[in-house]
Amino acid sequence: MLKDIQVLNEKETRGGFGEGILEAGRRNPNVVALTADLLGSMKLQAFIKEFPERFIQVGIAEANMIGISAGLTIGGKIPYATTFANFGTGRVYDQIRQSVAYSGKNVKICCSHAGLTLGEDGATHQILEDIGMMKMLPGMTVIVPCDFNQTKAATMAIADYTGPVYLRFGRPKWPNFTPENQVFEIGKAQTLSEGKDISIFACGHLVWKAIEAGRILEEKGYSVELINIHTIKPLDVEAVRGSIEKTGCAVTCEEHNIIGGLGDSIAQVAARHFPIPIEYVGTKDTFGESGKPEDLLVKYGLDSVDIVAAAEKAIVRKKK
């Protein structure tokens, strides 16, 4: 039951990355960290202290960082290229496409400060298109964990996965509620509650907002199925299909443009296998702006009340 999910604490998902890469480095001597002048923001201090010879400070030269990372894989290294999500995808998309994705290089592109919850840095940094950009690259795995613990687990897991990965996480402190020592399975969705009236699919920070919304819906008498789609690609098609065939309607929730993101991936499954009413919670073909993270989620329609409204609308559409 959603009401039984307990918040352990509030921590930054980027902090989970910092702990995860340190543990990955301890387990695998081939793990190397690179950053583009953002070691503090990316929480790399502990990794650098323990493995100074396995850290490369590239400076404000993100394209070079991707190129160096691709080259390191030829020697068997597992490079974690780190920066803000805007700089690690939009600024260097050509280098990722040509040097990493096209040749299937084992590069882990790990990016923080994604989405509206970046907050005061504003629209130029709040990338809301990166999931779509990265999932369209052939062979690219796209992961968007929901909290500190899951980000740590995902960061460790991708070291054992062969192939290019985009790992997306955020800046602010956020409810941390998944198990501390979980095993992260790439491509396997996490069902947080089972229900029969509405399927809610969420990723990243909006998983917690979906939990809040699900609790409200349950109080209203609805049976809610909530699934954390932490891996956008490869998508757990069987989990999505099984859920929508049971509930007959869905809501998708993401801190991203509704064009090209998680919602489109869910809709594609529905269109191919079991067409249903779907409502989207995400930004609506717009850039963000400077503001406090929670205020921005409210203004742009990504809060728990927006998920509740979307779910009720989808249920009404199903009944028609």
Side-chain angles (χ1 to χ4, degrees):
M1 297 291 289
L2 293 176
K3 63 181 179 61
D4 296 326
I5 296 175
Q6 299 295 318
V7 176
L8 306 173
N9 45 51
E10 289 197 352
K11 290 185 176 182
E12 303 158 331
T13 49
R14 59 177 171 152
F17 170 75
E19 289 196 11
I21 192 172
L22 175 61
E23 186 58 34
R26 288 169 174 168
R27 296 182 181 186
N28 192 326
N30 286 318
V31 169
V32 178
L34 303 88
T35 195
D37 201 37
L38 288 169
L39 70 88
S41 294
M42 299 305 300
K43 303 297 183 182
L44 292 172
Q45 297 94 326
F47 182 93
I48 295 168
K49 182 177 180 180
E50 192 159 332
F51 307 110
E53 74 287 358
R54 288 155 59 185
F55 169 69
I56 301 173
Q57 172 60 272
V58 179
I60 306 174
E62 292 84 359
N64 288 346
M65 179 174 67
I66 297 300
I68 293 168
S69 297
L72 285 167
T73 67
I74 298 172
K77 301 303 180 185
I78 305 172
Y80 281 59
T82 74
T83 183
F84 290 179
N86 187 37
F87 307 145
T89 59
R91 179 173 289 181
V92 292
Y93 197 70
D94 178 62
Q95 284 75 23
I96 294 171
R97 183 185 187 276
Q98 303 300 102
S99 299
V100 176
Y102 178 64
S103 53
K105 292 294 191 296
N106 193 30
V107 176
K108 318 305 176 185
I109 301 166
C110 304
C111 293
S112 179
H113 293 58
L116 291 173
T117 52
L118 170 53
E120 289 82 355
D121 285 0
T124 57
H125 288 46
Q126 295 163 347
I127 193 162
L128 299 165
E129 314 90 56
D130 52 319
I131 293 174
M133 293 168 60
M134 298 301 278
K135 79 175 187 180
M136 284 190 293
L137 288 170
M140 181 67 69
T141 292
V142 179
I143 299 172
V144 188
C146 66
D147 66 0
F148 175 98
N149 286 340
Q150 192 163 83
T151 305
K152 179 179 178 179
T155 303
M156 295 160 57
I158 62 176
D160 299 324
Y161 176 84
T162 301
V165 173
Y166 176 51
L167 178 64
R168 182 195 208 240
F169 43 95
R171 175 189 187 186
K173 289 185 177 180
W174 206 253
N176 184 32
F177 57 91
T178 63
E180 183 176 0
N181 296 312
Q182 64 189 277
V183 175
F184 187 87
E185 189 173 351
I186 295 171
K188 183 67 174 176
Q190 179 187 27
T191 300
L192 297 176
S193 70
E194 295 186 2
K196 57 183 176 58
D197 292 330
I198 180 75
S199 296
I200 301 179
F201 301 102
C203 64
H205 288 147
L206 286 206
V207 174
W208 179 251
K209 290 296 182 182
I211 291 171
E212 292 180 330
R215 289 171 174 172
I216 296 171
L217 288 165
E218 286 181 343
E219 290 175 358
K220 292 186 172 188
Y222 296 107
S223 176
V224 178
E225 182 142 298
L226 175 54
I227 300 180
N228 172 18
I229 306 290
H230 53 63
T231 306
I232 309 295
K233 182 188 174 187
L235 185 67
D236 190 343
V237 173
E238 291 306 312
V240 174
R241 182 176 177 179
S243 181
I244 63 176
E245 288 181 356
K246 177 169 54 173
T247 64
C249 61
V251 174
T252 63
C253 313
E254 58 192 312
E255 195 180 344
H256 185 271
N257 194 342
I258 61 171
I259 301 170
L262 169 65
D264 276 0
S265 292
I266 299 298
Q268 186 179 112
V269 174
R272 294 176 64 186
H273 299 287
F274 194 77
I276 58 164
I278 300 176
E279 294 293 328
Y280 300 82
V281 173
T283 57
K284 312 299 193 292
D285 193 26
T286 182
F287 292 101
E289 62 183 285
S290 180
K292 295 186 181 303
E294 288 285 355
D295 291 344
L296 292 171
L297 292 180
V298 171
K299 178 171 181 176
Y300 287 86
L302 277 65
D303 202 9
S304 53
V305 295
D306 302 296
I307 300 172
V308 171
E312 292 183 322
K313 184 176 180 180
I315 292 169
V316 169
R317 289 176 60 199
K318 175 177 66 171
K319 292 178 180 179
K320 290 182 178 179

